[in-house]
Amino acid sequence: MTVDATTKIEIDPLTCTGCGLCILSCPADVIRLDEAAHKAVVAYGKDCQVCYLCEDDCPEHSITLSHDISNSRRFSTYDQFGLKI
Amino acid sequence: MKSTEMVARETDVLIIGGGFAGSWAALRAAELGARVILVDKAYVSRSGASTLSGGITTCPLDSDDIDVWAEEFITRGGYMCDQRWTYQLLEGQRARVKDYESWGVPISRDAEGNIRRFASRGMINVRGMQYQPKVAMRELRRRVLDLGVVILDRVCVTELITSDGQWPTSGSVAGAVGFNVHDGQFIVMRAKRTIIATGMIAMKGTHRVDNDTGDGVAMAFRAGARLVDMEFTFGGTFNVLMKRYDFPSYNVAIAHGARLINARGERFMEAIDPVRLERGELSQVVAAFAKQMIDGNGPVYIDLRHVDDTYWSDMAKIHRGGSILMSEHVPDPRVHPLPIEPTWGMWASGRSGLQIDLQGRTNIPGLLAAGSAAKNDATGTHASAGSPTAFCNVSGWHAGECAARESLEDQLPPTPTHVFNELREAAFAPLGKPVHEKSADALHDDLARLEASVVDGMVLSGDRLQAMLEVTRDVARLSGEIAAMDLHDLVKIHEARNVAECAGAVYQSGLDRHESREQFFREDYPMTDPSWFCWHGIRRGRDGVIMERLPFPTEGVRFPIRNLDSGLGRIGAIIRGETPKGGAP
Ligand SMILES: Cc1cc2nc3c(=O)[nH]c(=O)nc-3n(C[C@H](O)[C@H](O)[C@H](O)COP(=O)(O)OP(=O)(O)OC[C@H]3O[C@@H](n4cnc5c(N)ncnc54)[C@H](O)[C@@H]3O)c2cc1C
Ligand code: SF4
Ligand code: SF4
């Protein structure tokens, strides 16, 4: 079990207006503003806790989160007991 | 990083952490005319567990007989509480529910417009309600700003200031220091009263509350504050669905009629708690899950085919994450039971934490605590669904009131100024260190591994506790040696140290307790020993750690205290396949 480096969050640069609301929303400090491009960017993707706060708060619906990758350090008891589900 | 310049602020009341506990404390203190600073590592209203909680809270209304509710909390918690706190919680929460109603926080209602209530998990008479915690947090933010509270968002607090510059202190707590996580500004916040409201103690990457790393609890512990019942921190909930997906809320689902079944289709809780079934005491349900795994009866499924219609409508309205059930990522939950598993780790949530009195005061002058960072003395070691947030609201409110009243009659304690420079150096030290083979992430991996297995975490022993304690000591030591790449990384190093110190206190408390009780089960001491019917304190003295056994208060007792526990506790009985008898029901 190590931190999962896969990015769970994507921000669409075409629709993002750089309003910064998602940067305020993120408890894990994952998102920052690219000041030159005036767009939100994923700065610390591996720290995303998949809490959906940014996706909910984005007025442009520019953020997509992947359901397929859950908390990064998650461990399954089913793996411990060799149970396939 | 732009600067590490130092700015100083002075206030009457400093509140560290802006979840329900910290925000209610800020609201109450400001109402009473105190100058208040509310500081948070993230953005108040979009941070900690409060915003992300399942939205169930204890809901006593004027028409309810509080005595019946209090008796249930007191007896289910094995009388291991302060009964005055139980009443204070219920009466205070009545008022907080009315506040939410008047603020227009959305609450699930029936066709007549009355609050829809349901039996809380673990309870028969106590009722909870379903509301929108995100909206409640947004309202709290707006209201405290209107009252003139200064909110400092994105400031990671690193240490408490003590009047004598010593940790542990023989003087008082006089504020705290921290740095802005975006620009590196170092902030000295001198205060007459400081309230710790930093929430739960969670390993990062496991519970979806990654900024609740027990920072305030660890800082207070370093300053000499007493923690109690740390070994009861172990706890969890069924939040993992099919190994990968977060299940929005077990508590909500079972309140609406969801069942747990094993691979043979058996509703295994029938044998353990025939009355409350899946709504039984959570640690007993988790133990029953562990037993199914040990006996080869896994996987365990959540069966949502029996829930009522309001479950699906509340889910769509209140739970963002709820959409996973409808997302086609999982088989249709209306037709198929879905494999589910619990997490079982450190997250306190009231079963343990900083010891406080009825006003929220700790044993250190100038220092108060509220919410999940504090031990919830209203319900003892038992955490029914909804009582953690109720305790946050009410303990926050009382701590805010006490801190405001006391600070308005007091002066700012003097602190030697060299202390601020030393604290700044300590806060930024990892930025100047040479690159180390271990990263901050690697330290958090080591910590998360400690609570990885629900089965191992539930069935403890002296050897296991000792091995876990060694890991926390290594992590705490390494956190003082490794390098931070930037400010974001610096936060994670401080967090690793704090989780490690809190976890160390948990394992040390567990090692000291030579018995099993409530959710704490040691294979090497499986029996409950009546001489352990007490609060179990741990604090730092000048010469090392001091363990204490403290009697429960007899003042204000409405229900005569009974030392129920003897024999094999409930968890032990479930794991060994015996019918649970002893211990709290
Ligand atoms: C997924 C989940 C679901 C839950 N569901 C329910 C439920 O339905 N009902 C219920 O009653 N309880 C529930 N709980 C428990 C409940 O949410 C918590 O007990 C409660 O929200 C804690 O509130 P708090 O104010 O003490 O802390 P939090 O809301 O966690 O706030 C603590 C704050 O402190 C800040 N902080 C931490 N360290 C620092 C630092 N060093 N410097 C500055 N700030 C810092 C954090 O950023 C955070 O904002 C749930 C918990 C979880 C995790
Ligand atoms: S909230 Fe949406 S629009 Fe605003 S900065 Fe973030 S992604 Fe861009
Ligand atoms: S899902 Fe949560 S943690 Fe992840 S980027 Fe969005 S707000 Fe941050």
Side-chain angles (χ1 to χ4, degrees), chain A residues 41-52:
Chain A
V41 288
V42 177
Y44 299 101
K46 67 175 186 297
D47 290 330
C48 173
Q49 59 179 7
V50 203
C51 64
Y52 300 96

Side-chain angles (χ1 to χ4, degrees), chain A residues 8-9 22 25-31 42 45 47-55 63 65, chain B residues 46 52:
Chain A
K8 302 126 191 162
I9 163 182
C22 58
S25 305
C26 180
D29 192 28
V30 167
I31 312 170
V42 177
D47 290 330
C48 173
Q49 59 179 7
V50 203
C51 64
Y52 300 96
L53 289 175
C54 58
E55 193 185 281
I63 300 181
L65 277 150
Chain B
R46 287 291 182 276
L52 294 165

Side-chain angles (χ1 to χ4, degrees), chain B residues 58-255:
Chain B
T58 312
C59 179
L61 301 177
D62 287 341
S63 51
D64 294 308
D65 182 351
I66 290 289
D67 282 326
V68 175
W69 291 39
E71 183 175 14
E72 195 164 41
F73 271 129
I74 292 161
T75 53
R76 297 257 178 242
Y79 298 88
M80 294 173 67
C81 63
D82 180 340
Q83 298 189 12
R84 293 167 302 178
W85 240 122
T86 315
Y87 278 88
Q88 178 164 286
L89 175 90
L90 291 169
E91 280 152 14
Q93 179 69 355
R94 237 181 201 160
R96 301 291 76 80
V97 170
K98 284 181 192 161
D99 287 332
Y100 283 164
E101 286 198 272
S102 73
W103 298 353
V105 174
I107 299 173
S108 177
R109 290 176 187 273
D110 63 20
E112 281 80 49
N114 300 313
I115 295 181
R116 183 187 290 127
R117 299 195 299 165
F118 41 81
S120 291
R121 184 202 68 225
M123 297 288 171
I124 290 167
N125 298 306
V126 170
R127 291 282 177 281
M129 68 175 194
Q130 178 76 55
Y131 71 115
Q132 288 193 15
K134 264 175 78 175
V135 179
M137 277 307 310
R138 194 186 63 206
E139 275 300 305
L140 277 162
R141 180 181 178 98
R142 197 171 67 73
R143 281 162 197 274
V144 301
L145 285 171
D146 283 352
L147 286 168
V149 170
V150 174
I151 296 185
L152 302 178
D153 293 311
R154 302 280 168 204
V155 171
C156 176
V157 176
T158 54
E159 206 69 85
L160 297 174
I161 300 167
T162 57
S163 60
D164 56 1
Q166 301 287 321
W167 293 264
T169 180
S170 308
S172 60
V173 164
V177 300
F179 62 91
N180 183 297
V181 304
H182 285 183
D183 67 17
Q185 188 178 64
F186 186 74
I187 306 168
V188 174
M189 295 160 281
R190 295 182 61 207
K192 297 178 192 169
R193 292 292 179 276
T194 303
I195 303 177
I196 302 278
T198 51
M200 316 194 300
I201 309 163
M203 307 297 191
K204 277 171 103 68
T206 58
H207 288 300
R208 217 192 234 186
V209 280
D210 283 2
N211 46 349
D212 280 6
T213 43
D215 300 358
V217 176
M219 282 181 245
F221 186 56
R222 292 197 283 272
R226 180 188 291 123
L227 313 179
V228 283
D229 291 351
M230 290 308 280
E231 61 275 46
F232 293 131
T233 289
F234 290 100
T237 191
F238 283 80
N239 64 349
V240 189
L241 195 66
M242 313 189 75
K243 287 207 315 198
R244 281 212 309 249
Y245 310 113
D246 280 301
F247 182 59
S249 178
Y250 172 77
N251 297 327
V252 177
I254 54 164

Side-chain angles (χ1 to χ4, degrees), chain A residues 1-3 23-32 35 44 46-53 55-57 67-81 83-85, chain B residues 42-43 46 52 134 154 182 204-211 240 243-246 289 293 298-300 320 324 329 339-341 441 444-445 448-449 452-456 486 488 492:
Chain A
M1 176 185 43
T2 51
V3 66
I23 300 168
L24 294 184
S25 305
C26 180
D29 192 28
V30 167
I31 312 170
R32 294 288 178 91
E35 289 186 14
Y44 299 101
K46 67 175 186 297
D47 290 330
C48 173
Q49 59 179 7
V50 203
C51 64
Y52 300 96
L53 289 175
E55 193 185 281
D56 273 1
D57 285 347
H67 272 304
D68 293 323
I69 305 156
S70 192
N71 279 352
S72 49
R73 293 186 176 86
R74 175 97 10 109
F75 171 95
S76 177
T77 320
Y78 293 123
D79 292 335
Q80 185 189 0
F81 283 82
L83 278 173
K84 288 203 171 45
I85 57 165
Chain B
Y43 181 81
R46 287 291 182 276
L52 294 165
K134 264 175 78 175
R154 302 280 168 204
H182 285 183
K204 277 171 103 68
T206 58
H207 288 300
R208 217 192 234 186
V209 280
D210 283 2
N211 46 349
V240 189
K243 287 207 315 198
R244 281 212 309 249
Y245 310 113
D246 280 301
F289 168 89
M293 298 299 289
V300 165
R320 174 60 186 79
I324 187 65
H329 280 68
I340 190 173
E341 59 183 305
D441 285 331
H444 286 288
D445 290 343
R449 211 170 281 125
S453 159
V454 50
V455 178
D456 295 346
D486 58 12
H488 181 86
K492 292 202 277 190

